[in-house]
C-alpha cells in the first residue's frame, strides 16, 4: 500500500511540474490563492539547482547521493516497521517528496522545478514534493515525541523489573 502511495504522490508531483514547465516557464507570476484582498500564494516558475533557500547551489551529485541515501534508509525503516501505520505514512510522504525532487535533478539537468510562491511573508518558492517532505518530517517528529514506544519503558515495566 505504501509503495502505491509513493508512486501516486510522485506521479502527481511530476504531472504538476510538467504542467508548470509548459504553462509558467517564461511567464510572469500568476495569482493562485486569494481570499478577498488577502493575497496568499502565486504560481511562479523557478529553477532551483540547490536545496532549500538555494543552499548547496550547484552541488547536484551531492544532493542526489544524500537524498538517495536518506530515501533508502526511510524505505528500509518503513519495511522493518510496517505495522506502525503512522510511521509508514510519515516515511511514505518523505520518500515521495525525495523521489519527486531526485527525478528532477536527474532528468532536468540538475534543477528542481519550484512554483508555489507564498505571498503572506518572504519565503522560498517551493513545490509539491517539498510539501510532502515537510509534512512527512513534521508528522514524524510528532510521532517520535508522542507515540513512539520503541525506546521508552512503561511504568509497569520499570516497577516489575521486566526490562
Amino acid at each position: 500500500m505504501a509503495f502505491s502511495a509513493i508512486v501516486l504522490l510522485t506521479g502527481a508531483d511530476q504531472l504538476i511540474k510538467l504542467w508548470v514547465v509548459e504553462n509558467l516557464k517564461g511567464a510572469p507570476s500568476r495569482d493562485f490563492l486569494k481570499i478577498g484582498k488577502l493575497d496568499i500564494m502565486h504560481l511562479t516558475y523557478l529553477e532551483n539547482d540547490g536545496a532549500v533557500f538555494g543552499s548547496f547551489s550547484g552541488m547536484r551529485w551531492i544532493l542526489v547521493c544524500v537524498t538517495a541515501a536518506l530515501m533508502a534508509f526511510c524505505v528500509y525503516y518503513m519495511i522493518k516497521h510496517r505495522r506502525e501505520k503512522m510511521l509508514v505514512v510519515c516515511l511514505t510522504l518523505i520518500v515521495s517528496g525525495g523521489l519527486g525532487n531526485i527525478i528532477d535533478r536527474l532528468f532536468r539537468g540538475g534543477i528542481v522545478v519550484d512554483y508555489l510562491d507564498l505571498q503572506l511573508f518572504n519565503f522560498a518558492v517551493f513545490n509539491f514534493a517539498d510539501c510532502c517532505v515537510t509534512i512527512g518530517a513534521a508528522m514524524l517528529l510528532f510521532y517520535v515525541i508522542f507515540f513512539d514506544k520503541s525506546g521508552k519503558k512503561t511504568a509497569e515495566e520499570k516497577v516489575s523489573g521486566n526490562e
Side-chain angles (χ1 to χ4, degrees), residues 23-31 43-45:
N23 292 282
L24 297 178
K25 188 174 183 176
S29 292
R30 293 185 188 177
D31 289 346
L43 294 176
T44 303
Y45 180 84

Side-chain angles (χ1 to χ4, degrees), residues 7-43:
V7 170
L8 182 67
L9 290 167
T10 303
D13 172 68
Q14 291 301 302
L15 286 172
I16 295 167
K17 288 174 179 172
L18 182 62
W19 181 88
V20 166
V21 169
E22 290 178 2
N23 292 282
L24 297 178
K25 188 174 183 176
S29 292
R30 293 185 188 177
D31 289 346
F32 180 61
L33 186 56
K34 279 181 124 175
I35 299 175
K37 294 187 181 211
L38 182 61
D39 193 11
I40 299 172
M41 188 176 291
H42 289 177
L43 294 176

Side-chain angles (χ1 to χ4, degrees), residues 40-57:
I40 299 172
M41 188 176 291
H42 289 177
L43 294 176
T44 303
Y45 180 84
L46 179 73
E47 295 179 348
N48 183 359
D49 71 342
V52 65
F53 299 110
S55 60
F56 302 102
S57 182

